[in-house]
PDB file of all heavy atoms in Angstrom:
ATOM      1  N   MET J   1      -2.509  19.738  -2.103  1.00 52.00           N
ATOM      2  CA  MET J   1      -1.479  20.478  -1.413  1.00 52.00           C
ATOM      3  C   MET J   1      -0.226  20.418  -2.309  1.00 52.00           C
ATOM      4  O   MET J   1      -0.033  19.539  -3.090  1.00 52.00           O
ATOM      5  CB  MET J   1      -1.140  19.843  -0.162  1.00 52.00           C
ATOM      6  CG  MET J   1      -2.032  20.003   0.956  1.00 52.00           C
ATOM      7  SD  MET J   1      -1.383  19.409   2.530  1.00 52.00           S
ATOM      8  CE  MET J   1      -2.454  20.306   3.528  1.00 52.00           C
ATOM      9  N   LYS J   2       0.571  21.488  -2.223  1.00 59.00           N
ATOM     10  CA  LYS J   2       1.805  21.568  -3.027  1.00 59.00           C
ATOM     11  C   LYS J   2       2.749  20.432  -2.760  1.00 59.00           C
ATOM     12  O   LYS J   2       2.980  20.092  -1.528  1.00 59.00           O
ATOM     13  CB  LYS J   2       2.427  22.882  -2.682  1.00 59.00           C
ATOM     14  CG  LYS J   2       3.625  23.168  -3.592  1.00 59.00           C
ATOM     15  CD  LYS J   2       4.201  24.556  -3.392  1.00 59.00           C
ATOM     16  CE  LYS J   2       5.347  24.821  -4.433  1.00 59.00           C
ATOM     17  NZ  LYS J   2       5.896  26.175  -4.310  1.00 59.00           N
ATOM     18  N   GLY J   3       3.338  19.857  -3.740  1.00 67.00           N
ATOM     19  CA  GLY J   3       4.253  18.777  -3.601  1.00 67.00           C
ATOM     20  C   GLY J   3       3.765  17.410  -3.490  1.00 67.00           C
ATOM     21  O   GLY J   3       4.409  16.389  -3.513  1.00 67.00           O
ATOM     22  N   GLU J   4       2.325  17.232  -3.299  1.00 81.00           N
ATOM     23  CA  GLU J   4       1.822  15.912  -3.156  1.00 81.00           C
ATOM     24  C   GLU J   4       1.639  15.248  -4.591  1.00 81.00           C
ATOM     25  O   GLU J   4       1.362  16.030  -5.542  1.00 81.00           O
ATOM     26  CB  GLU J   4       0.468  16.010  -2.483  1.00 81.00           C
ATOM     27  CG  GLU J   4       0.549  16.343  -1.001  1.00 81.00           C
ATOM     28  CD  GLU J   4      -0.774  16.307  -0.380  1.00 81.00           C
ATOM     29  OE1 GLU J   4      -1.847  16.396  -1.076  1.00 81.00           O
ATOM     30  OE2 GLU J   4      -0.809  16.098   0.843  1.00 81.00           O
ATOM     31  N   GLN J   5       1.893  14.022  -4.678  1.00 88.00           N
ATOM     32  CA  GLN J   5       1.646  13.287  -5.898  1.00 88.00           C
ATOM     33  C   GLN J   5       0.278  12.557  -5.903  1.00 88.00           C
ATOM     34  O   GLN J   5      -0.218  12.147  -4.884  1.00 88.00           O
ATOM     35  CB  GLN J   5       2.753  12.284  -6.014  1.00 88.00           C
ATOM     36  CG  GLN J   5       4.142  12.889  -6.185  1.00 88.00           C
ATOM     37  CD  GLN J   5       5.135  11.695  -6.294  1.00 88.00           C
ATOM     38  OE1 GLN J   5       5.008  10.609  -5.665  1.00 88.00           O
ATOM     39  NE2 GLN J   5       6.084  11.886  -7.091  1.00 88.00           N
ATOM     40  N   ILE J   6      -0.317  12.515  -7.092  1.00 91.00           N
ATOM     41  CA  ILE J   6      -1.552  11.758  -7.206  1.00 91.00           C
ATOM     42  C   ILE J   6      -1.203  10.254  -7.210  1.00 91.00           C
ATOM     43  O   ILE J   6      -0.264   9.824  -7.872  1.00 91.00           O
ATOM     44  CB  ILE J   6      -2.238  12.174  -8.548  1.00 91.00           C
ATOM     45  CG1 ILE J   6      -2.448  13.597  -8.604  1.00 91.00           C
ATOM     46  CG2 ILE J   6      -3.549  11.395  -8.776  1.00 91.00           C
ATOM     47  CD1 ILE J   6      -3.454  14.114  -7.549  1.00 91.00           C
ATOM     48  N   ALA J   7      -1.926   9.504  -6.529  1.00 91.00           N
ATOM     49  CA  ALA J   7      -1.781   8.058  -6.318  1.00 91.00           C
ATOM     50  C   ALA J   7      -2.235   7.319  -7.587  1.00 91.00           C
ATOM     51  O   ALA J   7      -3.314   7.723  -8.191  1.00 91.00           O
ATOM     52  CB  ALA J   7      -2.376   7.533  -5.142  1.00 91.00           C
ATOM     53  N   ASN J   8      -1.552   6.267  -7.900  1.00 90.00           N
ATOM     54  CA  ASN J   8      -2.060   5.299  -8.891  1.00 90.00           C
ATOM     55  C   ASN J   8      -3.059   4.388  -8.097  1.00 90.00           C
ATOM     56  O   ASN J   8      -2.476   3.531  -7.346  1.00 90.00           O
ATOM     57  CB  ASN J   8      -0.955   4.591  -9.571  1.00 90.00           C
ATOM     58  CG  ASN J   8      -1.409   3.537 -10.486  1.00 90.00           C
ATOM     59  OD1 ASN J   8      -2.535   3.146 -10.584  1.00 90.00           O
ATOM     60  ND2 ASN J   8      -0.411   2.896 -11.197  1.00 90.00           N
ATOM     61  N   ILE J   9      -4.282   4.457  -8.345  1.00 92.00           N
ATOM     62  CA  ILE J   9      -5.141   3.584  -7.525  1.00 92.00           C
ATOM     63  C   ILE J   9      -5.031   2.115  -7.786  1.00 92.00           C
ATOM     64  O   ILE J   9      -5.521   1.323  -7.044  1.00 92.00           O
ATOM     65  CB  ILE J   9      -6.558   4.030  -7.670  1.00 92.00           C
ATOM     66  CG1 ILE J   9      -7.119   3.887  -9.181  1.00 92.00           C
ATOM     67  CG2 ILE J   9      -6.847   5.473  -7.378  1.00 92.00           C
ATOM     68  CD1 ILE J   9      -8.621   3.951  -9.412  1.00 92.00           C
ATOM     69  N   ASN J  10      -4.303   1.707  -8.863  1.00 91.00           N
ATOM     70  CA  ASN J  10      -4.219   0.386  -9.136  1.00 91.00           C
ATOM     71  C   ASN J  10      -2.824  -0.262  -8.569  1.00 91.00           C
ATOM     72  O   ASN J  10      -2.565  -1.437  -8.758  1.00 91.00           O
ATOM     73  CB  ASN J  10      -4.227   0.089 -10.679  1.00 91.00           C
ATOM     74  CG  ASN J  10      -5.606   0.332 -11.166  1.00 91.00           C
ATOM     75  OD1 ASN J  10      -6.543  -0.043 -10.589  1.00 91.00           O
ATOM     76  ND2 ASN J  10      -5.683   1.008 -12.269  1.00 91.00           N
ATOM     77  N   ASN J  11      -2.087   0.640  -7.925  1.00 90.00           N
ATOM     78  CA  ASN J  11      -0.777   0.077  -7.426  1.00 90.00           C
ATOM     79  C   ASN J  11      -1.071  -0.540  -5.971  1.00 90.00           C
ATOM     80  O   ASN J  11      -1.381   0.176  -5.113  1.00 90.00           O
ATOM     81  CB  ASN J  11       0.264   1.173  -7.346  1.00 90.00           C
ATOM     82  CG  ASN J  11       1.647   0.760  -7.028  1.00 90.00           C
ATOM     83  OD1 ASN J  11       1.819  -0.488  -6.920  1.00 90.00           O
ATOM     84  ND2 ASN J  11       2.446   1.732  -6.957  1.00 90.00           N
ATOM     85  N   THR J  12      -0.943  -1.907  -5.833  1.00 92.00           N
ATOM     86  CA  THR J  12      -1.166  -2.656  -4.682  1.00 92.00           C
ATOM     87  C   THR J  12       0.045  -3.413  -4.359  1.00 92.00           C
ATOM     88  O   THR J  12       0.832  -3.700  -5.161  1.00 92.00           O
ATOM     89  CB  THR J  12      -2.418  -3.498  -4.849  1.00 92.00           C
ATOM     90  OG1 THR J  12      -2.063  -4.484  -5.796  1.00 92.00           O
ATOM     91  CG2 THR J  12      -3.678  -2.715  -5.125  1.00 92.00           C
ATOM     92  N   LYS J  13       0.064  -3.880  -3.095  1.00 91.00           N
ATOM     93  CA  LYS J  13       1.144  -4.813  -2.581  1.00 91.00           C
ATOM     94  C   LYS J  13       0.605  -5.592  -1.411  1.00 91.00           C
ATOM     95  O   LYS J  13      -0.068  -5.020  -0.559  1.00 91.00           O
ATOM     96  CB  LYS J  13       2.316  -4.044  -2.227  1.00 91.00           C
ATOM     97  CG  LYS J  13       3.511  -4.909  -1.880  1.00 91.00           C
ATOM     98  CD  LYS J  13       4.866  -4.505  -2.152  1.00 91.00           C
ATOM     99  CE  LYS J  13       5.233  -4.051  -3.489  1.00 91.00           C
ATOM    100  NZ  LYS J  13       6.347  -4.474  -4.103  1.00 91.00           N
ATOM    101  N   VAL J  14       0.944  -6.862  -1.441  1.00 92.00           N
ATOM    102  CA  VAL J  14       0.627  -7.696  -0.315  1.00 92.00           C
ATOM    103  C   VAL J  14       1.932  -7.956   0.445  1.00 92.00           C
ATOM    104  O   VAL J  14       2.979  -8.244  -0.031  1.00 92.00           O
ATOM    105  CB  VAL J  14       0.075  -9.125  -0.785  1.00 92.00           C
ATOM    106  CG1 VAL J  14      -0.116 -10.033   0.377  1.00 92.00           C
ATOM    107  CG2 VAL J  14      -1.248  -8.903  -1.467  1.00 92.00           C
ATOM    108  N   VAL J  15       1.806  -7.652   1.737  1.00 90.00           N
ATOM    109  CA  VAL J  15       3.000  -7.735   2.662  1.00 90.00           C
ATOM    110  C   VAL J  15       2.738  -8.726   3.914  1.00 90.00           C
ATOM    111  O   VAL J  15       1.702  -8.540   4.473  1.00 90.00           O
ATOM    112  CB  VAL J  15       3.385  -6.401   3.230  1.00 90.00           C
ATOM    113  CG1 VAL J  15       4.491  -6.536   4.248  1.00 90.00           C
ATOM    114  CG2 VAL J  15       3.675  -5.474   2.128  1.00 90.00           C
ATOM    115  N   GLU J  16       3.503  -9.662   4.072  1.00 91.00           N
ATOM    116  CA  GLU J  16       3.379 -10.668   5.249  1.00 91.00           C
ATOM    117  C   GLU J  16       3.920  -9.945   6.488  1.00 91.00           C
ATOM    118  O   GLU J  16       5.062  -9.499   6.439  1.00 91.00           O
ATOM    119  CB  GLU J  16       4.048 -11.910   4.921  1.00 91.00           C
ATOM    120  CG  GLU J  16       3.794 -13.065   5.873  1.00 91.00           C
ATOM    121  CD  GLU J  16       4.559 -12.989   7.239  1.00 91.00           C
ATOM    122  OE1 GLU J  16       5.738 -12.507   7.137  1.00 91.00           O
ATOM    123  OE2 GLU J  16       4.072 -13.551   8.213  1.00 91.00           O
ATOM    124  N   ALA J  17       3.100  -9.978   7.487  1.00 88.00           N
ATOM    125  CA  ALA J  17       3.538  -9.426   8.812  1.00 88.00           C
ATOM    126  C   ALA J  17       2.809 -10.101   9.929  1.00 88.00           C
ATOM    127  O   ALA J  17       1.674 -10.228   9.968  1.00 88.00           O
ATOM    128  CB  ALA J  17       3.220  -7.909   8.825  1.00 88.00           C
ATOM    129  N   HIS J  18       3.602 -10.608  10.871  1.00 88.00           N
ATOM    130  CA  HIS J  18       3.019 -11.283  12.074  1.00 88.00           C
ATOM    131  C   HIS J  18       2.012 -12.387  11.726  1.00 88.00           C
ATOM    132  O   HIS J  18       1.043 -12.442  12.412  1.00 88.00           O
ATOM    133  CB  HIS J  18       2.558 -10.187  12.965  1.00 88.00           C
ATOM    134  CG  HIS J  18       3.408  -9.200  13.324  1.00 88.00           C
ATOM    135  ND1 HIS J  18       4.521  -9.378  14.229  1.00 88.00           N
ATOM    136  CD2 HIS J  18       3.566  -7.900  13.025  1.00 88.00           C
ATOM    137  CE1 HIS J  18       5.173  -8.228  14.355  1.00 88.00           C
ATOM    138  NE2 HIS J  18       4.618  -7.331  13.608  1.00 88.00           N
ATOM    139  N   GLY J  19       2.294 -13.142  10.801  1.00 92.00           N
ATOM    140  CA  GLY J  19       1.416 -14.282  10.435  1.00 92.00           C
ATOM    141  C   GLY J  19       0.145 -13.871   9.594  1.00 92.00           C
ATOM    142  O   GLY J  19      -0.687 -14.686   9.311  1.00 92.00           O
ATOM    143  N   TYR J  20       0.052 -12.696   9.151  1.00 94.00           N
ATOM    144  CA  TYR J  20      -1.016 -12.124   8.379  1.00 94.00           C
ATOM    145  C   TYR J  20      -0.487 -11.575   7.061  1.00 94.00           C
ATOM    146  O   TYR J  20       0.707 -11.204   7.028  1.00 94.00           O
ATOM    147  CB  TYR J  20      -1.930 -11.095   9.092  1.00 94.00           C
ATOM    148  CG  TYR J  20      -2.790 -11.727  10.234  1.00 94.00           C
ATOM    149  CD1 TYR J  20      -2.267 -11.917  11.458  1.00 94.00           C
ATOM    150  CD2 TYR J  20      -4.084 -12.157   9.956  1.00 94.00           C
ATOM    151  CE1 TYR J  20      -3.004 -12.483  12.510  1.00 94.00           C
ATOM    152  CE2 TYR J  20      -4.854 -12.694  10.898  1.00 94.00           C
ATOM    153  CZ  TYR J  20      -4.305 -12.862  12.139  1.00 94.00           C
ATOM    154  OH  TYR J  20      -5.147 -13.438  13.165  1.00 94.00           O
ATOM    155  N   TYR J  21      -1.393 -11.400   6.120  1.00 95.00           N
ATOM    156  CA  TYR J  21      -1.055 -10.840   4.839  1.00 95.00           C
ATOM    157  C   TYR J  21      -1.887  -9.526   4.686  1.00 95.00           C
ATOM    158  O   TYR J  21      -3.008  -9.553   4.513  1.00 95.00           O
ATOM    159  CB  TYR J  21      -1.271 -11.833   3.733  1.00 95.00           C
ATOM    160  CG  TYR J  21      -0.395 -13.001   3.846  1.00 95.00           C
ATOM    161  CD1 TYR J  21      -0.673 -14.057   4.597  1.00 95.00           C
ATOM    162  CD2 TYR J  21       0.898 -13.012   3.233  1.00 95.00           C
ATOM    163  CE1 TYR J  21       0.161 -15.215   4.758  1.00 95.00           C
ATOM    164  CE2 TYR J  21       1.780 -14.056   3.371  1.00 95.00           C
ATOM    165  CZ  TYR J  21       1.369 -15.199   4.188  1.00 95.00           C
ATOM    166  OH  TYR J  21       2.233 -16.227   4.288  1.00 95.00           O
ATOM    167  N   ASP J  22      -1.201  -8.440   4.764  1.00 94.00           N
ATOM    168  CA  ASP J  22      -1.757  -7.124   4.591  1.00 94.00           C
ATOM    169  C   ASP J  22      -1.789  -6.650   3.249  1.00 94.00           C
ATOM    170  O   ASP J  22      -0.781  -6.739   2.493  1.00 94.00           O
ATOM    171  CB  ASP J  22      -1.014  -6.148   5.533  1.00 94.00           C
ATOM    172  CG  ASP J  22      -1.085  -6.547   7.089  1.00 94.00           C
ATOM    173  OD1 ASP J  22      -2.125  -7.173   7.427  1.00 94.00           O
ATOM    174  OD2 ASP J  22      -0.177  -6.169   7.733  1.00 94.00           O
ATOM    175  N   VAL J  23      -2.809  -6.000   2.763  1.00 94.00           N
ATOM    176  CA  VAL J  23      -3.008  -5.395   1.473  1.00 94.00           C
ATOM    177  C   VAL J  23      -2.848  -3.943   1.638  1.00 94.00           C
ATOM    178  O   VAL J  23      -3.615  -3.252   2.347  1.00 94.00           O
ATOM    179  CB  VAL J  23      -4.333  -5.702   0.752  1.00 94.00           C
ATOM    180  CG1 VAL J  23      -4.418  -5.113  -0.493  1.00 94.00           C
ATOM    181  CG2 VAL J  23      -4.501  -7.311   0.685  1.00 94.00           C
ATOM    182  N   TYR J  24      -1.894  -3.445   0.914  1.00 93.00           N
ATOM    183  CA  TYR J  24      -1.561  -2.041   0.860  1.00 93.00           C
ATOM    184  C   TYR J  24      -1.975  -1.457  -0.513  1.00 93.00           C
ATOM    185  O   TYR J  24      -1.768  -2.101  -1.459  1.00 93.00           O
ATOM    186  CB  TYR J  24      -0.122  -1.678   1.223  1.00 93.00           C
ATOM    187  CG  TYR J  24       0.283  -1.850   2.670  1.00 93.00           C
ATOM    188  CD1 TYR J  24       0.729  -3.125   2.987  1.00 93.00           C
ATOM    189  CD2 TYR J  24       0.191  -0.807   3.553  1.00 93.00           C
ATOM    190  CE1 TYR J  24       1.190  -3.349   4.379  1.00 93.00           C
ATOM    191  CE2 TYR J  24       0.564  -1.086   4.874  1.00 93.00           C
ATOM    192  CZ  TYR J  24       1.036  -2.324   5.194  1.00 93.00           C
ATOM    193  OH  TYR J  24       1.418  -2.571   6.527  1.00 93.00           O
TER     194      TYR J  24
END
């Protein structure tokens, strides 16, 4: 689609939320 960016598949982040660690 127009305006969408291709993702960097190696870009990750761990976020702590409600006592768990989520991987995005």
Side-chain angles (χ1 to χ4, degrees):
M1 292 190 159
K2 188 176 183 178
E4 289 185 338
Q5 295 179 323
I6 303 297
N8 176 350
I9 64 165
N10 292 318
N11 195 358
T12 64
K13 184 150 302 227
V14 174
V15 177
E16 191 276 333
H18 305 290
Y20 287 88
Y21 295 87
D22 297 331
V23 178
Y24 288 90

